[in-house]
Amino acid sequence: ALLPYVPRVPPTALPGKLTATTFALERPCCVFDRHTNASDAVWLVVAFASASATFRNPPSRADVPLYEQLPTAHSYMTLETAAATYTCSAPSPAVLRVGGDTACGGQGSRDPCNGPLPSPGPYRVKFLVMGCHGPKAETRWSDPILLRRAASPSTIDPAPARRGSDVVVIASILASLGAVLAAVVLGAVGVEVWRSLCHRDLGTGAFAHRSYRTHHIPPALPQPLPPGCGCSPPGLGCFAPRPPGLCPAQ
């Protein structure tokens, strides 16, 4: 049976909706109820858009094209899920992640794998119901899904992506200039303070050396008393001569 459902990428904003190796799909809900039973499985067919028209549904599970055959067969099948997962009452996630299993590939396993997609595509997908005796129902092919192109390692900007790289560079330059300017200002202030202290110390030291080393005044020696002042104590001098009769007896 050909079902009218068309798979699509969610139209709303979603983190990682499209990356270089994965994409998200809306989960088909209540689409397969009338065409499945408990033993059936629902697969997702992933094919290059140019190869979707030539894809042929496998007659049995043993003929399911594997993930490792994508480079040569240009198609594979993945996300094998019990049909009951897509019923109306099933509490399932709102989206399906295609290409999210990074452990796929290179292990020689024959099990279906949901590995990363090897190129931007574009791809087309459809859901296929497989029973014990082969395919039972399928949806229509999706519109082409183009992934984001991976950047070359040589073009990766090491600056954080949360802020613009130009803003980060300018902020770094301004911070460096501010640090240099602050260091220059502090250095100039320190030099001026040091010079002021040196000049102050130099003035007092020089004055002390000149005062006490080059202008030393020796202590005054006792002078002889003039005649008529024999009563003055030695060293006090004589201010006016007195008559000899006024001097006290010694």
Side-chain angles (χ1 to χ4, degrees):
L2 180 60
L3 307 178
Y5 180 79
V6 178
R8 66 170 185 171
V9 175
T12 57
L14 181 69
K17 182 169 62 175
L18 291 174
T19 70
T21 58
T22 68
F23 63 91
L25 281 179
E26 287 184 343
R27 182 179 68 90
C29 182
C30 308
V31 175
F32 313 110
D33 289 1
R34 293 185 300 171
H35 304 276
T36 60
N37 54 46
S39 61
D40 294 338
V42 177
W43 292 76
L44 178 70
V45 181
V46 182
F48 284 103
S50 58
S52 59
T54 60
F55 178 82
R56 297 294 179 264
N57 294 331
S60 66
R61 190 185 188 285
D63 300 314
V64 168
L66 301 177
Y67 167 76
E68 287 78 9
Q69 298 174 353
L70 178 61
T72 56
H74 306 296
S75 62
Y76 70 103
M77 292 172 61
T78 184
L79 296 180
E80 180 186 14
T81 310
T85 305
Y86 298 109
T87 60
C88 298
S89 59
S92 300
V95 296
L96 303 174
R97 174 67 58 181
V98 181
D101 189 358
T102 58
C104 291
Q107 299 178 359
S109 174
R110 299 292 299 176
D111 294 331
C113 186
N114 184 27
L117 298 171
S119 70
Y123 299 92
R124 288 179 185 265
V125 298
K126 73 175 182 179
F127 290 94
L128 178 64
V129 179
M130 295 279 291
C132 297
H133 302 288
K136 297 178 62 176
E138 64 180 344
T139 66
R140 298 181 182 275
W141 286 101
S142 69
D143 293 332
I145 301 173
L146 183 65
L147 304 185
R148 294 181 177 179
R149 295 185 179 274
S152 172
S154 60
T155 61
I156 295 177
D157 188 359
R162 293 183 179 179
R163 301 174 61 185
S165 58
D166 294 340
V167 176
V168 174
V169 172
I170 293 174
S172 300
I173 294 175
L174 291 178
S176 301
L177 291 178
V180 172
L181 182 60
V184 171
V185 171
L186 292 176
V189 172
V191 170
E192 291 298 327
V193 172
W194 181 79
R195 287 179 177 176
S196 176
L197 294 176
C198 287
H199 282 303
R200 185 179 303 173
D201 182 69
L202 179 60
T204 56
F207 176 77
H209 288 299
R210 286 195 300 267
S211 300
Y212 291 95
R213 294 187 180 181
T214 61
H215 294 81
H216 179 68
I217 301 175
L221 299 176
Q223 299 295 327
L225 296 177
C229 283
C231 59
S232 297
L236 294 182
C238 182
F239 298 96
R242 294 183 183 182
L246 296 180
C247 291
Q250 299 191 5

